[in-house]
Structures are given as structure tokens and as C-alpha cells.
Amino acid sequence: MVAVDFDQLTEALAAGTALSGTQLRALAHSRDLIGLGMLAADVRTRLHGGRGTFVRIETIDVTGRPDDAAVEVPAEAGEVRFTGTPVSLEAAVAAVRAVRATTAVPLSGWALDALVHWGGSLAATLGALRAAGLDAVATARLDRLDLEQLRAVADAGLVLQTVTVGVPSDDDVLLDQLEQLRAWQAATGVVRACAPLPVEVSAEQPTTGYDDMRHVALARLVLDNVTHVQAHWTRMGAKLSQSCLLFGANDIDAVPARDAMPHGPRRAILEEVRRNLQAASLDVVERDGAFAERRA
């Protein structure tokens, strides 16, 4: 294992020097969780100052959705996100068009690897959704992504909200994937954020908090051309989301726009999100789906 001089790396990053492949490989294998986290937090601060952002999402599942279904986007929503499998591209286009007619809130939708299998070319699918009013593809899994897909997103005039990690991987594989994403981002510029923890985890072999935090920090250090590193509130919950904020993440995605507050206002989701950001010593900023600040 190569020893890591964190003081030297801190000085290099402060001077605007990009880390070399050798340095990143050494960081990927480092067991110094605190040093890695501090380095990533420094990078986060240089990019975002003391701001910690979050977005409230209204989710619309188009699976089996009638064409004349009522549309009601709550005022709390900073983004509307389409999910599910439509019966056809035409049905998805109709759903996007119907929502766009009722709100100016940014609209995102679906996973890029799902859109590939809707039939027809990806370019035609993305073009039709963009013409209907979609602003962004919601997600893409890094283990199912390629450069041509990202170019199709760019050519359609869309952006990609979040790239996620599909399944747990070892340090070298994850580093290779992150470096590949950085190269693709340099070529296309369409990726807004990365959520670097896996979306599929085996119940028999769960990931550890130790490795999760190392991987969040590594993503922040590698992806110098991806603006945001995220925690996913719905998937991760409060504790893991807060831990991500301490290791280089700056944004909390997928906070539900609707909350019945079954445990009272002090335990409302919105208040819990705000407390998590404050506990990470970040200034709380609510944003919309275009990463613009929402004013009260």
C-alpha cells in the first residue's frame, strides 16, 4: 500500500493542481478515512463554499397512467420526476406535456438505460421527450452507461441529473468507473451530479459504512468536472445522508415534496433534512431541479 501525504495533496488541490492517476489510486487504497474525508470536504468547500443544498421531488409514476389523469404539482416541489414504464413513447410524451402545461418547475424523467429499451432510437426518444417539455433525464447507472448515450442526451438539448453506481465494487473498479465518467463528462458536459453509493446491495453482503464514506470522498476527489456529489434521501435515509455530507457530498436529492407529518412538525421530513445539513456545518439552501436556489 502506497503511503499518502495528505498535507501535500491538500496544498496541490488548493493551488488548483489536478491529482494524478497515481495519486488517486493511492487514495483509493488508503485506509485513512479521516484524512480522505477532510481532503474531500476541502474540495467541496472550494466548489460550494458553505452551501448544502436539497431538492423536494414530486414523483409521477406513468405505469398504467390514464391519458386523462389529473395533474396536481404541489407548491413545495422543486422538481417533478417521472418514473415507471409507459405503455408507449406516445403515452410518456403525453404525460410530460400534460404536466408541463400546469407548471414551470423543472421536469426530469426515467433512467437512461430504461429509455434505451423503449423501442426506436435513443435519439428519437430523447428528442420527443424534450419537445414535450422534459428538461433532464433523471438518472443513469454508471455500470450501464456509455459515451454515445451521453452524447445523445447532449444532442437532444437535455442534461442528466444524476449518475449513480449500480452495484458494490472494489476500490480499483470504482476508481476506473469514476475516471471514465470524468472523461465522458469532459466530452459532453451533461452530468449534473453523481450519487456514488450503489443502488443495488445484497442483504447477505451489505456494504459497510466505512467503505461507503471512502467511496463518497473518492468520488468528490476524482470528479473535478461534475459539480455536485449527492446523497439520496429516499434511498439512504437521514443517518447515511448526513454521513455523506461529512465526506464531501454537498447535495441531498429526492426529498419528498409531500409529507403528512405523522409524527408532528418537529419530525417532518423537511425539518430533518435541514437539521442534517446544519449538523454538517453547512448553510441550508433549497434548490430546484435546475440547481437554482428557491426563494421562500
Side-chain angles (χ1 to χ4, degrees):
M1 184 180 301
V2 179
V4 177
D5 187 335
F6 283 99
D7 290 336
Q8 182 186 59
L9 295 182
T10 299
E11 292 174 2
L13 289 169
T17 303
L19 299 182
S20 68
T22 299
Q23 289 170 324
L24 290 171
R25 191 72 57 181
L27 287 170
H29 288 276
S30 172
R31 302 292 104 179
D32 186 346
L33 182 61
I34 301 302
L36 194 60
M38 291 178 63
L39 198 63
D42 283 347
V43 172
R44 192 258 321 278
T45 300
R46 279 192 286 275
L47 288 171
H48 302 285
R51 289 163 52 98
T53 53
F54 73 95
V55 62
R56 288 188 275 181
I57 301 290
E58 172 71 358
T59 300
I60 297 178
D61 188 344
V62 301
T63 305
R65 179 182 173 85
D67 291 341
D68 59 352
V71 176
E72 180 186 354
V73 178
E76 294 82 1
E79 180 180 336
V80 175
R81 189 168 295 174
F82 295 93
T83 63
T85 305
V87 295
S88 64
L89 173 59
E90 291 72 22
V93 165
V96 173
R97 188 176 292 123
V99 176
R100 173 51 73 214
T102 69
T103 182
V105 168
L107 308 183
S108 70
W110 298 286
L112 190 55
D113 60 286
L115 295 174
V116 169
H117 300 293
W118 277 14
S121 70
L122 179 60
T125 297
L126 293 173
L129 293 170
R130 179 70 181 116
L134 196 74
D135 298 298
V137 177
T139 65
R141 280 179 50 152
L142 191 47
D143 55 340
R144 298 176 182 173
L145 189 60
D146 62 48
L147 179 57
E148 293 310 308
Q149 291 173 1
L150 291 176
R151 283 179 170 155
V153 172
D155 290 345
L158 294 163
V159 294
L160 177 57
Q161 293 291 71
T162 305
V163 173
T164 66
V165 174
V167 297
S169 58
D170 65 30
D171 301 328
D172 288 315
V173 171
L174 178 63
L175 179 59
D176 289 344
Q177 290 179 331
L178 292 172
E179 290 186 310
Q180 183 68 80
L181 178 59
R182 182 175 62 182
W184 290 340
Q185 175 73 342
T188 64
V190 298
V191 179
R192 281 179 163 162
C194 176
L197 298 188
V199 297
E200 292 184 16
V201 179
S202 168
E204 289 75 27
Q205 291 184 307
T207 60
T208 66
Y210 176 80
D211 281 334
D212 284 345
M213 294 309 99
R214 289 178 56 252
H215 291 170
V216 171
L218 185 62
R220 181 62 285 165
L221 294 168
V222 175
L223 299 175
D224 51 12
N225 58 359
V226 175
T227 306
H228 304 281
V229 170
Q230 292 180 326
H232 190 285
W233 183 267
T234 305
R235 190 168 63 245
M236 296 179 182
K239 291 183 178 179
L240 186 53
S241 294
Q242 186 183 65
S243 297
C244 291
L245 295 170
L246 296 171
F247 284 84
N250 68 283
D251 184 70
I252 298 178
D253 185 32
V255 177
R258 300 176 190 261
D259 182 10
M261 293 189 288
H263 305 294
R266 291 193 57 167
R267 295 188 62 187
I269 294 172
L270 180 59
E271 293 308 310
E272 199 166 10
V273 170
R274 286 174 170 158
R275 284 195 296 270
N276 273 17
L277 288 162
Q278 290 166 347
S281 299
L282 296 173
D283 299 325
V284 181
V285 177
E286 183 169 7
R287 66 170 179 85
D288 66 12
F291 286 83
E293 183 175 350
R294 299 188 80 197
R295 301 288 183 177

